[in-house]
């Protein structure tokens, strides 16, 4: 698989080539400000000691505290976390929330851990990173294979260490301990707001959609899409893929996933099973990658049949694939815009924690919607102004904000 940090740096250089970006800013953005790799020992249920590798990358904080999720995945490595931290920096600037970017992770297959082992690992990550994280310094959140329960353990561990309540040190928490209404569905909901704008631009009424990855981002997006009357024709998860050109029953599919742990094995009508790779190449209007990075590459991008790609996942498209898709006229709505609803509602959660005053779900979405529409419009307009793809348009837009903050701080 392509190196995601190299991919991120190629995107940065490409966008910088369109504007008069100060060379000092480019130099600063090529390296994270601070990185931590820590050994996290966990006593396993069988009595053996296992030492996991944990990471936190603090990429840039010119616009505010570092902000970004924690990923638990067997393939997580420093370059992946570095790339994700860079993308968070760009994402927060794209939607205009007052944060820099960071990311964390642990190299682990959480599906192989018991609940007790998972809790020990989550608490261990916080003990290792306690000097880095905090409400005004660096605020983690969930990412792949972490969830509100993990955030709850992490907040509890942190508060025990510092000796006072500080719910704003982490977001994506359960609502009972300071989470925000709407945070669980925010990434997908933000993606839907962006998709509505895209469909207007492309003049598509009732899109056929393929969603790769049926987790927090993908499954919720699929179900909101179905509620809109859009046709979800394909889905996949790590165990397999399904396609039915007439549309899949997303509600039944979600129940099946809950019962069996996978979408694979769900049969209705003419649904066909296939590999994950093949699913990406089936006919549809919108292809929505919502799993991991590097899935659209120079090898398959030329055969994508979608009219547009909406990147709910971070980094699913390599720069070579971007170029091919742009030449083919396939619009790619980039990750730093399409999935920014999650971090935007994380920002709302942090604001509510600091006020100690909580909003109803409707208020959360009433605030999210205009921010996503504004960000879409800004990015779309930049891409038209510079005759470039939307990713480059988003980078141009966010780099201007980051550059202004760096200059106003006198960092360059
Ligand atoms: P998740 O753990 O809830 O779900 C991930 C899903 O991807 C699972 O269904 C898994 O089975 C599937 N998957 C794994 N490997 C796959 C493969 N090779 N092919 C197809 N499916 C595969 O994770 P999530 O939180 O939904 O995150 C998914 C993506 O969205 C990530 O790139 C993440 O960084 C991004 N994202 C998530 C959020 C959020 O708030 N959760 C916010 C912004 C971006």
């Amino acid at each position: 698989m392509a190196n995601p940090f190299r991919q991120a740096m190629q995107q940065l250089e490409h966008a910088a080539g369109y504007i008069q970006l100060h060379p000092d800013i480019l130099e600063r953005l090529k390296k994270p400000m601070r990185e931590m790799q820590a050994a996290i020992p966990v006593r396993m249920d069988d009595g053996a000691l296992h030492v996991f590798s944990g990471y936190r990358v603090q990429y840039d904080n010119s616009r505010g505290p570092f902000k970004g999720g924690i990923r638990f995945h067997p393939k997580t490595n420093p370059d992946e976390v570095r790339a994700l931290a860079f993308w968070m920096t760009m994402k927060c600037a794209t939607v205009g929330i007052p944060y820099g970017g960071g990311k964390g992770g642990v190299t682990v297959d959480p599906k192989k851990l018991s609940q007790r082992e998972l809790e020990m690992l989550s608490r261990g990550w916080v003990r290792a990173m306690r000097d880095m994280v905090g409400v005004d310094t660096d605020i983690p959140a969930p990412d792949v294979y972490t969830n509100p329960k993990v955030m709850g353990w992490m907040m509890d561990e942190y508060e025990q260490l510092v000796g006072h309540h500080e719910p704003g040190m982490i977001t994506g928490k359960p609502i009972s301990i300071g989470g925000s209404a709407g945070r669980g569905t925010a990434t997908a909901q933000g993606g839907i707001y962006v998709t509505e704008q895209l469909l207007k631009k492309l003049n598509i009424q009732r899109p056929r959609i393929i969603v790769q990855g049926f987790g927090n981002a993908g499954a919720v997006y699929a179900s909101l899409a179905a509620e809109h009357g859009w046709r979800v024709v394909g889905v996949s998860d790590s165990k397999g893929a399904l396609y039915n050109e007439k549309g899949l029953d997303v509600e039944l599919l979600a129940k099946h996933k809950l019962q069996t742990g996978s979408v694979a094995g769900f049969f209705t009508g003419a649904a066909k099973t296939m590999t994950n790779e093949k699913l990406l190449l089936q006919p549809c209007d919108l292809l929505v990658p919502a799993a991991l990075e590097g899935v659209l590459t120079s090898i398959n991008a030329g055969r994508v049949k979608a009219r547009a790609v909406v990147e709910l996942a971070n980094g699913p498209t390599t720069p070579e694939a971007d170029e091919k898709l742009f030449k083919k006229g396939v619009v790619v709505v980039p990750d730093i815009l399409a999935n920014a609803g999650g971090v935007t509602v994380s920002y709302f959660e942090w604001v509510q924690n600091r006020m100690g005053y909580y909003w109803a779900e409707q208020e959360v979405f009433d605030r999210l919607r205009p921010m996503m529409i504004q960000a879409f419009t800004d990015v779309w307009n930049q891409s038209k102004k510079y005759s470039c793809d939307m990713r480059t348009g988003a980078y141009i837009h966010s780099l201007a904000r980051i550059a202004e903050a760096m200059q106003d701080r006198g960092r360059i």
Side-chain angles (χ1 to χ4, degrees):
M1 196 167 73
N3 178 318
F5 189 61
R6 203 172 310 135
Q7 174 180 331
M9 292 302 101
Q10 271 175 265
Q11 294 166 346
L12 171 65
E13 299 247 14
H14 180 72
Y18 279 79
I19 45 173
Q20 304 295 319
L21 186 69
H22 195 298
D24 293 353
I25 295 175
L26 186 58
E27 277 316 294
R28 286 200 74 130
L29 287 175
K30 282 184 187 166
K31 283 198 179 81
M33 289 178 72
R34 190 152 68 139
E35 300 188 337
M36 165 80 118
Q37 178 161 349
I40 306 175
V42 173
R43 179 72 59 195
M44 307 303 276
D45 291 349
D46 65 4
L49 187 79
H50 193 100
V51 181
F52 293 92
S53 292
Y55 318 93
R56 187 72 186 169
V57 174
Q58 298 183 329
Y59 208 94
D60 182 78
N61 66 353
S62 306
R63 301 186 66 260
F66 303 104
K67 180 86 189 88
I70 303 167
R71 178 172 290 194
F72 283 181
H73 193 274
K75 292 201 175 129
T76 289
N77 62 72
D79 263 344
E80 181 186 64
V81 182
R82 225 167 261 147
L84 290 163
F86 169 78
W87 287 323
M88 284 307 298
T89 310
M90 293 294 150
K91 189 182 302 180
C92 293
T94 299
V95 277
I97 54 176
Y99 288 139
K103 202 83 182 191
V106 177
T107 310
V108 58
D109 185 351
K111 291 179 186 167
K112 293 194 177 139
L113 301 188
S114 68
Q115 283 296 291
R116 191 199 65 83
E117 290 166 343
L118 189 63
E119 179 175 347
M120 291 304 113
L121 180 64
S122 306
R123 290 182 182 275
W125 189 93
V126 171
R127 282 197 301 278
M129 308 296 171
R130 77 163 278 187
D131 292 337
M132 297 184 85
V133 297
V135 64
D136 282 317
T137 47
D138 183 352
I139 308 133
D143 191 70
V144 174
Y145 298 153
T146 56
N147 54 28
K149 193 170 193 181
V150 170
M151 300 302 110
W153 289 327
M154 288 184 163
M155 184 192 79
D156 183 66
E157 188 66 25
Y158 184 80
E159 290 186 343
Q160 290 194 41
L161 288 169
V162 299
H164 59 259
H165 281 289
E166 201 171 308
M169 62 75 54
I170 202 162
T171 59
K173 301 177 291 290
I175 291 194
S176 63
I177 51 174
S180 175
R183 176 60 185 91
T185 54
T187 301
Q189 186 63 69
I192 293 282
Y193 294 145
V194 162
T195 305
E196 286 168 348
Q197 301 307 305
L198 175 74
L199 295 177
K200 279 189 208 158
K201 297 281 183 201
L202 300 182
N203 205 13
I204 300 174
Q205 316 293 335
R206 196 168 167 251
R208 295 162 302 153
I209 304 179
I210 291 177
V211 182
Q212 185 212 29
F214 208 70
N216 179 288
V220 180
Y221 183 92
S223 95
L224 293 173
E227 277 174 28
H228 271 61
W230 303 342
R231 207 159 15 124
V232 177
V233 292
V235 294
S236 66
D237 63 17
S238 59
K239 299 205 178 83
L242 286 175
Y243 180 82
N244 182 352
E245 62 182 2
K246 293 201 168 59
L248 295 159
D249 186 328
V250 178
E251 209 178 311
L252 278 182
L253 197 56
K255 273 191 198 143
H256 179 82
K257 168 105 184 171
L258 205 63
Q259 281 160 3
T260 66
S262 172
V263 296
F266 176 80
F267 291 107
T268 49
K272 283 187 240 160
T273 51
M274 58 185 68
T275 61
N276 253 304
E277 292 72 34
K278 224 172 153 194
L279 182 73
L280 302 174
L281 308 177
Q282 299 306 305
C284 65
D285 298 303
L286 303 182
L287 177 59
V288 183
L292 296 170
E293 52 276 2
V295 292
L296 294 173
T297 65
S298 59
I299 296 164
N300 60 9
R303 287 175 289 144
V304 164
K305 296 192 183 69
R307 288 183 58 194
V309 175
V310 178
E311 293 185 336
L312 277 196
N314 285 307
T317 312
T318 66
E320 298 74 27
D322 261 336
E323 204 181 323
K324 286 199 171 177
L325 293 168
F326 187 56
K327 279 194 185 135
K328 260 168 71 114
V330 179
V331 179
V332 178
V333 184
D335 43 11
I336 58 172
L337 168 63
N339 69 35
V343 73
T344 304
V345 175
S346 271
Y347 164 56
F348 296 163
E349 179 173 333
W350 180 78
V351 168
Q352 292 170 80
N353 291 153
R354 307 197 78 161
M355 290 194 295
Y357 178 75
Y358 291 86
W359 310 338
E361 186 174 272
Q362 193 57 47
E363 183 168 359
V364 170
F365 291 128
D366 286 348
R367 288 176 188 269
L368 176 64
R369 191 163 188 274
M371 287 178 71
M372 296 306 296
I373 294 174
Q374 184 63 52
F376 179 91
T377 308
D378 290 341
V379 169
W380 181 268
N381 290 346
Q382 291 294 354
S383 71
K384 293 298 155 206
K385 180 174 166 192
Y386 288 92
S387 304
C388 58
D389 58 32
M390 283 187 78
R391 186 183 321 282
T392 309
Y395 272 54
I396 290 171
H397 175 58
S398 55
L399 283 170
R401 284 181 166 161
I402 294 166
E404 191 183 358
M406 280 190 181
Q407 269 153 349
D408 287 345
R409 283 176 180 274
R411 283 190 178 177
I412 53 134

